Amino acid sequence: MAFEDLLEDPVIQKYLHELVGPKGMPVAAAPPDGEVTDEELAEELDLELNDVRRALFILYENDLASYRRLRDEDSGWLTYLWTFEYDNIPENLEEEMYRLHEALEDRREYERNHEFYLCEICSIRFEFGEAMDFGFECPECGSPLESMDNNRLVTAMDDRLDALEDELNIDADA
């Protein structure tokens, strides 16, 4: 996928937004060609320098940017020259999908293996042991706790896991 096409993709835009947040999105969405300093980006995008630095550091932590340091001979100050490396985005997204798959599998097992009770007034959910400790009464409002059927939640997790397995070519029976 071409570099420009990557930035047009709504999934990638959402991914970048989740990483850097709304203040960092202008930095992530308009990477310059070649090397650039954080000060140049802040001036060009009319952003606070700290917001630009935060976004650059997050991109760096996620292997989407790199830098090299130059020391000014006279002042001794360091200048960081940043390069954007968005070729790693598809691989990062795939890793995220695998992490999501694993987390969903764990949560599904938790939901299947526990019995839950709900306070319908406060919308607070309790595991069986907690509900028993509270005498099956809500500790917030005192109303009785009702047994909660979480089959719809488990089914929704199953559907999402199936979709992820299709996308990632995971054999669920393996």
Side-chain angles (χ1 to χ4, degrees), residues 22-142:
K23 289 185 176 181
M25 197 56 194
V27 176
D33 292 328
E35 295 179 318
V36 65
T37 67
D38 48 4
E39 291 93 353
E40 291 169 344
L41 274 175
E43 186 176 319
E44 180 182 323
L45 298 172
D46 195 30
L47 295 172
E48 294 290 325
L49 185 57
N50 283 342
D51 292 335
V52 170
R53 287 180 175 161
R54 181 183 169 280
L56 288 169
F57 184 71
I58 290 169
L59 292 171
Y60 170 76
E61 284 181 322
N62 288 278
D63 296 324
L64 299 177
S66 62
Y67 65 86
R68 67 184 181 97
R69 291 185 295 220
L70 295 178
R71 185 175 299 278
D72 184 285
E73 298 280 331
D74 299 328
S75 68
W77 287 48
L78 289 174
T79 299
Y80 290 82
L81 296 170
W82 291 90
T83 305
F84 290 78
E85 299 175 0
Y86 282 4
D87 293 342
N88 296 333
I89 287 177
E91 182 180 315
N92 287 11
L93 282 173
E94 186 173 350
E95 288 172 14
E96 285 290 320
M97 290 171 68
Y98 277 106
R99 277 195 291 274
L100 174 61
H101 184 270
E102 185 177 334
L104 268 174
E105 281 185 322
D106 292 346
R107 184 57 190 235
R108 178 184 60 187
E109 288 310 304
Y110 173 78
E111 292 292 330
R112 283 182 175 164
N113 294 325
H114 291 83
E115 187 176 337
F116 298 98
Y117 287 80
L118 178 69
C119 172
E120 293 182 357
I121 305 297
C122 300
S123 297
I124 301 174
R125 189 171 89 148
F126 301 90
E127 287 183 14
F128 175 78
E130 294 172 306
M132 197 167 75
D133 290 345
F134 294 126
F136 296 93
E137 286 186 358
C138 177
E140 299 291 319
C141 70

Side-chain angles (χ1 to χ4, degrees), residues 138-149:
C138 177
E140 299 291 319
C141 70
S143 62
L145 300 177
E146 302 293 330
S147 180
M148 180 185 165
D149 178 12

